[in-house]
Amino acid sequence: MTRRTARSYRVATALAGLVVVGAAAACTAPATATVHDEVAWDDGTGPTGSAEEDPRVEAVRRYDTLVKASTNELDLTDSRLAEVTTPEWIATKGDRLRSDVESRELELWEGPSDMTVVDVSGSGDEATVLMCSRLPTWWAWDDDASEVVERSRDTGAFEHDTYELVRVDDRWLVDSARWGYGPDPDSSCDPGAEVPVGRFTTAPDLDLLTTASVDDVAVPSS
């Protein structure tokens, strides 16, 4: 599977169903970590710069990291996912994960995508974040599902990725992600001289590619 065949997910955010009664909203329990999303950055610091302080950019980076970590462990029950995307997306991702496991299209990730910020735009409660990114090193079955192969980040090209966000209760949530989509027809981009490269401190279990079943995919209870 090439960079351009990576799938996009579109999520309808149910804003109408969110109601706050009184001067203060009901207290919510702290987010619970169930997946290993800790990242060690090659430069020791990770993404830096004024653009990285934008909460919309922070949301995109947390989304990318948590999604890949959750995929690695087939576990979508980490409540921190609700801090970066919607319940509808999590349900969609659960269906996709089950399908990928069943069809031997599961992909496991070395870390988050290598990304730099290109542009942040929007107004009110909607925003668009344009990134220049390439996939990290990843593992999957080859095209005829005969063996597991490693695809190095060094073989990938940098392309534009477009993230649409909505703000709900003062928190930015990724509502859609379109990979290989940007202002140029071929979507190629120059990430600049300083590209943060990170790897999960807990490596993915590659045995999942051969042993996992659809029953191993953990999703939040409905």
Side-chain angles (χ1 to χ4, degrees):
M1 185 175 298
T2 65
R3 176 69 170 82
R4 287 189 176 277
T5 59
R7 290 173 292 272
S8 300
Y9 299 99
R10 180 68 190 174
V11 181
T13 306
L15 296 177
L18 298 176
V19 180
V20 176
V21 180
C27 296
T28 57
T32 302
T34 62
V35 300
H36 299 88
D37 65 318
E38 300 83 5
V39 176
W41 298 95
D42 283 6
D43 62 2
T45 59
T48 59
S50 58
E52 299 294 340
E53 299 175 2
D54 190 310
R56 296 164 293 185
V57 173
E58 291 177 345
V60 167
R61 287 205 180 272
R62 289 297 295 140
Y63 168 91
D64 178 68
T65 298
L66 278 171
V67 165
K68 287 183 170 62
S70 297
T71 299
N72 282 354
E73 301 183 36
L74 304 182
D75 184 355
L76 300 176
T77 64
D78 194 311
S79 61
R80 294 175 300 168
L81 279 170
E83 296 180 347
V84 293
T85 190
T86 65
E88 292 84 1
W89 180 92
I90 296 172
T92 298
K93 180 63 175 176
D95 292 339
R96 175 61 64 181
L97 263 180
R98 291 189 183 97
S99 175
D100 287 348
V101 168
E102 188 173 35
S103 61
R104 285 197 165 187
E105 293 183 356
L106 178 65
E107 300 157 351
L108 302 179
W109 308 98
E110 183 182 49
S113 294
D114 307 335
M115 299 191 292
T116 56
V117 182
V118 177
D119 184 61
V120 180
S121 61
S123 61
D125 292 330
E126 299 181 350
T128 300
V129 175
L130 182 65
M131 307 291 278
C132 182
S133 74
R134 68 178 175 186
L135 293 175
T137 295
W138 50 293
W139 296 268
W141 287 96
D142 62 8
D143 292 340
D144 59 4
S146 62
E147 64 177 341
V148 172
V149 295
E150 174 184 302
R151 291 184 168 87
S152 171
R153 60 174 20 94
D154 296 330
T155 64
F158 279 92
E159 297 181 336
H160 284 117
D161 291 343
T162 300
Y163 296 85
E164 305 288 346
L165 296 89
V166 293
R167 184 166 53 191
V168 179
D169 291 342
D170 293 325
R171 175 176 291 155
W172 286 103
L173 305 178
V174 173
D175 186 45
S176 75
R178 289 177 287 178
W179 295 285
Y181 180 87
D184 301 321
D186 65 357
S187 194
S188 62
C189 57
D190 179 359
E194 302 294 332
V195 182
V197 174
R199 296 168 174 82
F200 291 126
T201 57
T202 300
D205 179 5
L206 301 187
D207 286 343
L208 286 176
L209 293 169
T210 55
T211 64
S213 72
V214 293
D215 293 333
D216 295 324
V217 178
V219 297
S221 56
S222 56

